[in-house]
Amino acid sequence: MLSTVLLYAAAVIVGLSKGGLASAAAIAVPLLSLFMNPVTAAATLLPVYVVTDWIGVWLYRRSYSRRNVRILVPAILFGVAIATVITPYTPESALLLFTGGIGLWYCARVWLARGATGQTIARLLPGLFWGTITGIASFITHSGAPPSQAYLLPQRLPKLEFAGTVAISFAVGNLVKIPAYWSIGQLDGLHWQLIGGLALAGIAGTLAGRWLTARLPEALYMRLIRTLLLALSVLLLVKGGLQLLG
């Protein structure tokens, strides 16, 4: 019973993320990993990500940064290709520690720069680097939020433009993960009837996320995103450390 509740909670969290609360979705796989294999958790949620991704694309079809999308999408696809090759040979603990470390580094940088009013632009090389890391992290644990935000948040994009850029970039990346997951056997034996119910819960979460994003004040929205990012990063570091020690 508890496992079913957590599954549906994870699906709603994914939807909230695709509706605009961008850090939220990366908490979903760690949540399910409390009672199932992380690889199985990622595969179970992938169809939910794909369905809610395209709802998010439709919701934000007029609000996104074209330049950032043009930089991030090819980089994310490259990262997915790398992850498809290295996943069978790389310990999950190392990937969790790496992803959590990126998020923690970004949060520390924001804290140390408190009071600064600087704003970066969408630069090609940083975007290609962080986009590639995003693709790798997203493939392994659906935890692409920390590296993508390390690149996007310093640009101080308007909240709807930020949400739209994330929605479109991840929609393409997650769609490509379907054949990649299939090629390494991660889609074998899934409970498709359950996944259908999770997808509906994810759609409801997406609409709720869009409603919240449109109504949250800009400063509060960015604080919420950073708080979620910090919580996620610590969670990934703890989980990765425990796996490494175990």
Side-chain angles (χ1 to χ4, degrees):
M1 180 63 180
L2 178 59
S3 62
T4 302
V5 171
L6 290 177
L7 278 166
Y8 277 93
V12 171
I13 289 170
V14 170
L16 288 171
S17 169
K18 302 308 176 180
L21 301 179
S23 290
I27 300 172
V29 170
L31 178 66
L32 296 188
S33 298
L34 296 173
F35 66 93
M36 69 167 58
N37 181 280
V39 173
T40 304
T44 300
L45 288 177
L46 179 59
V48 181
Y49 274 86
V50 171
V51 170
T52 55
D53 274 335
W54 292 98
I55 300 294
V57 169
W58 181 80
L59 291 173
Y60 292 101
R61 64 194 181 278
R62 296 187 181 91
S63 303
Y64 64 94
S65 166
R66 293 180 184 274
R67 176 165 173 78
N68 276 308
V69 167
R70 289 171 180 165
I71 293 172
L72 284 174
V73 167
I76 289 172
L77 297 183
F78 182 59
V80 168
I82 293 174
T84 304
V85 175
I86 68 173
T87 295
Y89 311 104
T90 305
E92 185 196 353
S93 58
L95 294 163
L96 288 171
L97 289 170
F98 184 60
T99 304
I102 290 170
L104 200 61
W105 165 80
Y106 174 74
C107 292
R109 189 178 71 169
V110 169
W111 182 77
L112 291 172
R114 186 178 298 173
T117 58
Q119 180 178 4
T120 66
I121 61 173
R123 292 182 294 166
L124 178 62
L125 291 181
L128 293 176
F129 172 76
W130 289 116
T132 300
I133 301 302
T134 295
I136 295 172
S138 177
F139 185 94
I140 303 300
T141 60
H142 297 316
S143 298
S148 66
Q149 291 176 14
Y151 169 65
L152 288 173
L153 286 180
Q155 297 179 37
R156 302 181 183 272
L157 298 172
K159 62 182 179 181
L160 295 183
E161 187 175 325
F162 170 80
T165 301
V166 171
I168 293 170
S169 300
F170 278 83
V172 177
N174 284 329
L175 190 63
V176 171
K177 282 194 282 187
I178 294 177
Y181 272 41
W182 176 81
S183 70
I184 60 175
Q186 289 198 31
L187 298 182
D188 297 342
L190 294 182
H191 191 317
W192 291 103
Q193 185 175 356
L194 172 63
I195 289 173
L198 296 179
L200 292 176
I203 291 171
T206 304
L207 299 175
R210 179 64 171 84
W211 186 87
L212 285 170
T213 300
R215 286 159 178 79
L216 285 174
E218 192 88 27
L220 176 60
Y221 174 80
M222 298 312 295
R223 283 199 299 271
L224 178 60
I225 291 294
R226 288 168 182 152
T227 300
L228 287 171
L229 179 58
L230 176 61
L232 166 67
S233 300
V234 171
L235 181 62
L236 292 176
L237 287 170
V238 170
K239 183 174 175 58
L242 290 175
Q243 286 189 8
L244 189 64
L245 293 174

